[in-house]
């Protein structure tokens, strides 16, 4: 079997003036084959779509100040700005109810109910410092239509597949969007060491070389 290898791809700072598919073609296209899986960090996709808000543009409610206290300190919703940004898009009562349900769930040993019921943005929002400069000063939402973006990436560069992933340094890796035919859960496991560099490294794209063969050899 061909060797599996994860290749981070450096770029310049990508902004909302860029199209993520154009950028991937420009920076990574020449290195991609039909056996590869091309992955991109979800926050960078969202930035190129203009899906972010500046903290000073938010009106922070008393409810946001209260609810954020129940989020672990390392979470993006642990600040009033992060919590308010979620309430703006998912609704304050939905977020409040989900947080209450999450609290009750923990009492009976069920975890993750808040992120399950609080709307898709609950798990995707990146608070300030959560992504690359200069966008470390804004709150970034999840990307729009991630499956379609992943498919466009695949088709543009002629890869086996495309994937948008949410990965961090806490050994958490989840699929946000993936093109048809790709085992996203299997690919996400390969990204647990977070090969993306969204800060000074400027490597928001990575290519999993020879992923097609790897997926075929791991069929159950």
């Amino acid at each position: 079997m061909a060797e599996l290898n994860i290749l981070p791809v450096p770029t310049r700072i990508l902004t909302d003036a860029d199209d993520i598919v154009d950028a991937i073609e420009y920076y990574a296209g020449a290195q991609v084959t039909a056996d590869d899986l091309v992955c991109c960090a979800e926050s960078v996709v969202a930035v190129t779509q203009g899906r972010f808000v500046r903290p000073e543009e938010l009106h922070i409610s008393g409810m946001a100040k209260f609810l954020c206290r129940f989020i672990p300190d390392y979470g993006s919703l642990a600040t009033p700005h992060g919590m308010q940004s979620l309430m703006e898009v998912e609704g304050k009562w939905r977020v409040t109810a989900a947080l209450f349900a999450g609290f009750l769930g923990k009492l009976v040993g069920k975890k993750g109910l808040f992120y399950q019921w609080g709307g898709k943005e609950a798990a995707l929002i990146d608070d300030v410092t959560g992504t690359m400069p200069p966008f470390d000063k804004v709150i970034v939402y999840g990307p729009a239509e991630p499956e379609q973006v992943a498919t466009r990436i695949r088709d543009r560069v002629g890869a086996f597949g495309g994937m948008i992933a949410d990965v961090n340094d806490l050994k958490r890796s989840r699929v946000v969007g993936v093109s048809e035919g790709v085992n996203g859960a299997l690919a996400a496991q390969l990204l647990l060491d977070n090969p993306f560099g969204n800060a000074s490294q400027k490597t928001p794209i990575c290519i999993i070389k020879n992923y097609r063969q790897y997926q075929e050899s791991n069929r159950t």
Side-chain angles (χ1 to χ4, degrees):
M1 185 180 73
E3 182 180 1
L4 184 77
N5 184 38
I6 300 179
L7 178 66
V9 178
T11 71
R12 60 172 170 76
I13 294 292
L14 301 178
T15 74
D16 51 331
D18 292 295
D19 179 282
I20 190 61
V21 179
D22 291 343
I24 289 175
E25 180 183 30
Y26 180 81
Y27 288 104
Q31 304 174 74
V32 177
T33 75
D35 293 324
D36 302 338
L37 176 62
V38 179
C39 306
C40 188
E42 52 89 22
S43 59
V44 176
V45 177
V47 163
T48 62
Q49 295 174 333
R51 290 181 54 77
F52 56 86
V53 62
R54 292 172 175 80
E56 58 269 23
E57 296 173 347
L58 294 169
H59 174 71
I60 308 302
S61 65
M63 186 177 292
K65 294 176 181 178
F66 175 72
L67 294 179
C68 72
R69 300 177 182 178
F70 296 93
I71 303 295
D73 290 342
Y74 56 80
S76 289
L77 304 177
T79 68
H81 291 92
M83 183 60 71
Q84 185 65 46
S85 68
L86 176 64
M87 293 166 64
E88 295 283 334
V89 294
E90 299 292 359
K92 63 180 181 179
W93 297 117
R94 177 177 185 171
V95 173
T96 302
L99 195 60
F100 182 66
F103 172 75
L104 294 179
K106 287 182 179 179
L107 295 179
V108 295
K110 293 184 178 181
K111 296 182 179 180
L113 292 183
F114 168 65
Y115 293 99
Q116 180 180 338
W117 293 345
K120 68 181 183 66
E121 293 292 349
L124 292 177
I125 285 176
D126 285 323
D127 200 357
V128 292
T129 75
T131 189
M132 61 183 179
F135 296 98
D136 56 342
K137 304 298 190 297
V138 302
I139 298 165
V140 181
Y141 294 109
E145 301 181 330
E147 290 81 11
Q148 290 91 325
V149 175
T151 299
R152 288 179 58 215
I153 292 170
R154 178 199 66 190
D155 295 345
R156 179 73 67 86
V157 298
F160 169 70
M163 186 167 82
I164 312 301
D166 180 15
V167 185
N168 61 34
D169 292 331
L170 300 176
K171 299 288 186 179
R172 294 176 180 172
S173 175
R174 64 188 295 268
V175 178
V176 179
V178 67
S179 60
E180 185 177 0
V182 174
N183 183 333
L186 182 65
Q189 292 299 306
L190 298 174
L191 301 177
L192 284 174
D193 288 330
N194 194 7
F196 296 122
N198 296 349
S200 59
Q201 306 97 322
K202 290 184 285 190
T203 54
I205 305 162
C206 71
I207 306 168
I208 305 181
K209 302 293 294 181
N210 302 309
Y211 178 79
R212 179 181 63 82
Q213 295 93 323
Y214 177 79
Q215 178 171 300
E216 290 175 352
S217 69
N218 282 275
R219 286 177 177 167
T220 56

